[in-house]
Amino acid sequence: MSSLLEILHKEVVPAEGCTEPIAVAYAVSLAAELLEEDITSIRLQLSGNIIKNAMGVGIPGTGQTGLPIAAALGAVVGRSHKELEILSNLTPAELKQANELLDRGLLEVELKDTPEKLYIEARVYSPNHTATAIIAGEHTHIDFLSLDGKKITPPKSKADCGKAGQSDSGAYAGSVDRIFEFIDTVPFQDLRFLLEGARMNKAISDEGLRGNYGLQVGKKMSQQSVVNLFGNDVASRIIAATAAASDARMDGSAMPVMTTAGSGNQGIACTLPVIALAELLGKDEERLARALALSNLVTIHIKHYIGRLSPLCGSGIAGGVGANSGIIYLMGGSLAQIKHGIQNTIASLSGMICDGAKSTCALKISTSTNAAIQAATLAMNNIAPTTKDGVIFEEVEDTIRNMERLVQEGLADTDTAILNIMLSKGGMM
């Protein structure tokens, strides 16, 4: 049982900004900090999924979008110890310095031909030295660090310190049965830390509802007017609260979010529907914490098969399934009904593709939240798809494993096609 708690601690962590460009800033910072001279150039080699997910997203505290400013900031801030919160407390002077670096044309970005979905290689040059940092597999996993070709032992990431490692595939795979038993029996005190994440994600949701971020999906859904077809019912309020957090995050809000399985949008998608429903139903902190543990672990379980970065939308599919499980738990549903809900949600969302991190992620998250609520309603009435229906199998674990098969066999070339379409617009890197 303890490994599931370790996984929660490892996979539910704070970040400021979209994790892909922030991971690029982190890699550049690791290399730049090894140099004691002025930087003369920066060369990035990135996997297609990193480019796809970093091209169109707002960078916190900058009013700018995409890879270049994230990489340049990594070179100047010197805060690699903060990992995915590296750009917190960004100063105007640092932003000015980063933009001057870009104005001098010192950054070069290339697509890396690698089977690794999450790969960042940052080479930073000074007049007499070269430093290299490689991040691979996970957003803060330092695969390689060197100065002038001499390998350096990297600092341990916070996620690696005493937590479950990437190699613990059995723990990551888990099962819905095992997850449900864990969240139902683990001491509440062990889960209390999840409430801080709830407060963090609720705060950025409130900010999204107040401000004019991105497409304003959540804000416009929450406003009552003749052009708003959504009412003030429970479902609409939950969807609006969830979408608003993504609106703010994707448009560069400097507020942190609690991520799940390497993604802030996944953290938003799997937690905010649960947070909003618990508030509307008047549930206590213990019930909320257990529901959040369930939603996060189910999301992590689905992501084990979809992949860290994927042609499928992790926020929509994994986050939506996680949210559905947490919603059913708050409604007093049984393990059997949670399994029905997972089947229903996968039947609804299994084809949602990921075309990068950007403002329209809020649209996908609003769609997945609606699907999660709809699926939960059916599940609470003991309704679920049958084996005659598409990718659904009788056992929920077989259905979940089909997501891996869909990615590996059915969508092998989808990422390449999406990236080529995005790059055809020109000027995005």
Side-chain angles (χ1 to χ4, degrees), residues 296-314:
N296 276 290
L297 285 169
V298 169
T299 299
I300 294 163
H301 182 39
I302 303 290
K303 283 295 291 181
H304 174 78
Y305 295 100
I306 291 178
R308 202 71 170 185
L309 296 178
S310 170
L312 290 178
C313 177

Side-chain angles (χ1 to χ4, degrees), residues 64-245:
Q64 297 170 241
T65 299
L67 272 169
I69 189 60
L73 284 168
V76 304
V77 297
R79 292 193 288 269
S80 67
H81 65 281
K82 300 190 78 169
E83 298 185 351
L84 295 182
E85 295 179 279
I86 189 172
L87 298 187
S88 61
N89 302 314
L90 186 67
T91 68
E94 289 168 337
L95 179 58
K96 182 175 183 290
Q97 189 179 351
N99 277 309
E100 288 172 350
L101 189 153
L102 293 178
D103 290 342
R104 288 158 55 199
L106 302 186
L107 177 66
E108 178 184 353
V109 181
E110 298 177 356
L111 176 63
K112 176 77 171 181
D113 183 10
T114 172
E116 178 62 66
K117 298 291 187 181
L118 197 165
Y119 183 91
I120 302 164
E121 181 175 332
R123 292 184 185 273
V124 183
Y125 300 85
S126 67
N128 298 294
H129 300 282
T130 302
T132 302
I134 297 176
I135 301 293
E138 297 183 8
H139 293 81
T140 58
H141 176 69
I142 306 168
D143 196 57
F144 180 79
L145 189 64
S146 73
L147 177 63
D148 297 328
K150 183 178 179 181
K151 188 174 180 180
I152 294 173
T153 301
K156 274 195 172 184
S157 79
K158 296 172 189 174
D160 289 336
C161 294
K163 306 302 180 188
Q166 239 182 321
S167 62
D168 192 3
S169 58
Y172 271 80
S175 71
V176 176
D177 285 354
R178 182 180 169 211
I179 290 168
F180 186 80
E181 181 185 357
F182 167 77
I183 67 102
D184 217 30
T185 57
V186 64
F188 168 46
Q189 285 301 118
D190 290 348
L191 299 178
R192 188 176 283 279
F193 75 97
L194 294 173
L195 298 176
E196 176 56 32
R199 286 187 283 272
M200 191 178 290
N201 289 359
K202 176 69 161 55
I204 197 170
S205 170
D206 291 343
E207 175 66 14
L209 290 170
R210 285 191 299 266
N212 296 323
Y213 290 97
L215 300 180
Q216 301 179 53
V217 179
K219 183 175 183 177
K220 295 307 178 187
M221 283 186 64
S222 68
Q223 293 175 341
Q224 299 304 299
S225 70
V226 294
V227 296
N228 183 5
L229 300 179
F230 290 91
N232 192 33
D233 55 72
V234 170
S236 294
R237 289 158 70 184
I238 292 171
I239 296 167
T242 308

Side-chain angles (χ1 to χ4, degrees), residues 201 242 245-246 249 257-258 264-273 365:
N201 289 359
T242 308
S246 182
R249 181 172 180 270
V257 301
M258 193 62 76
N265 270 343
Q266 279 167 194
I268 286 168
C270 79
T271 64
L272 267 163
I365 287 174

Side-chain angles (χ1 to χ4, degrees), residues 184-414:
D184 217 30
T185 57
V186 64
F188 168 46
Q189 285 301 118
D190 290 348
L191 299 178
R192 188 176 283 279
F193 75 97
L194 294 173
L195 298 176
E196 176 56 32
R199 286 187 283 272
M200 191 178 290
N201 289 359
K202 176 69 161 55
I204 197 170
S205 170
D206 291 343
E207 175 66 14
L209 290 170
R210 285 191 299 266
N212 296 323
Y213 290 97
L215 300 180
Q216 301 179 53
V217 179
K219 183 175 183 177
K220 295 307 178 187
M221 283 186 64
S222 68
Q223 293 175 341
Q224 299 304 299
S225 70
V226 294
V227 296
N228 183 5
L229 300 179
F230 290 91
N232 192 33
D233 55 72
V234 170
S236 294
R237 289 158 70 184
I238 292 171
I239 296 167
T242 308
S246 182
D247 281 322
R249 181 172 180 270
M250 291 293 95
D251 202 29
S253 168
M255 297 180 72
V257 301
M258 193 62 76
T259 69
T260 301
S263 165
N265 270 343
Q266 279 167 194
I268 286 168
C270 79
T271 64
L272 267 163
V274 177
I275 295 163
L277 181 60
E279 184 176 314
L280 290 167
L281 295 178
K283 298 297 183 180
D284 62 24
E285 286 191 339
E286 179 173 351
R287 192 69 177 179
L288 172 58
R290 294 187 187 280
L292 289 171
L294 176 62
S295 63
N296 276 290
L297 285 169
V298 169
T299 299
I300 294 163
H301 182 39
I302 303 290
K303 283 295 291 181
H304 174 78
Y305 295 100
I306 291 178
R308 202 71 170 185
L309 296 178
S310 170
L312 290 178
C313 177
S315 302
I317 300 171
V321 173
N324 167 265
S325 299
I327 288 168
I328 294 172
Y329 182 80
L330 286 176
M331 295 171 70
S334 64
L335 173 59
Q337 287 168 325
I338 287 169
K339 290 181 178 180
H340 288 337
I342 291 171
Q343 301 275 40
N344 290 334
T345 312
I346 289 176
S348 179
L349 296 172
S350 59
M352 184 181 283
I353 62 167
C354 170
D355 57 339
K358 68 289 180 218
S359 292
T360 54
C361 287
L363 286 171
K364 294 189 178 186
I365 287 174
S366 68
T367 298
S368 70
T369 305
N370 181 73
I373 294 169
Q374 180 187 64
T377 302
L378 294 176
M380 291 300 292
N381 285 280
N382 299 309
I383 297 171
T386 70
T387 55
K388 297 178 182 178
D389 298 315
V391 298
I392 304 300
F393 277 35
E394 182 175 354
E395 295 296 328
V396 71
E397 298 302 331
D398 291 332
T399 299
I400 291 170
R401 279 191 287 270
N402 286 339
M403 294 299 94
E404 181 177 43
R405 186 173 175 185
L406 181 59
V407 168
Q408 293 182 352
E409 297 179 23
L411 300 173
D413 298 323
T414 302

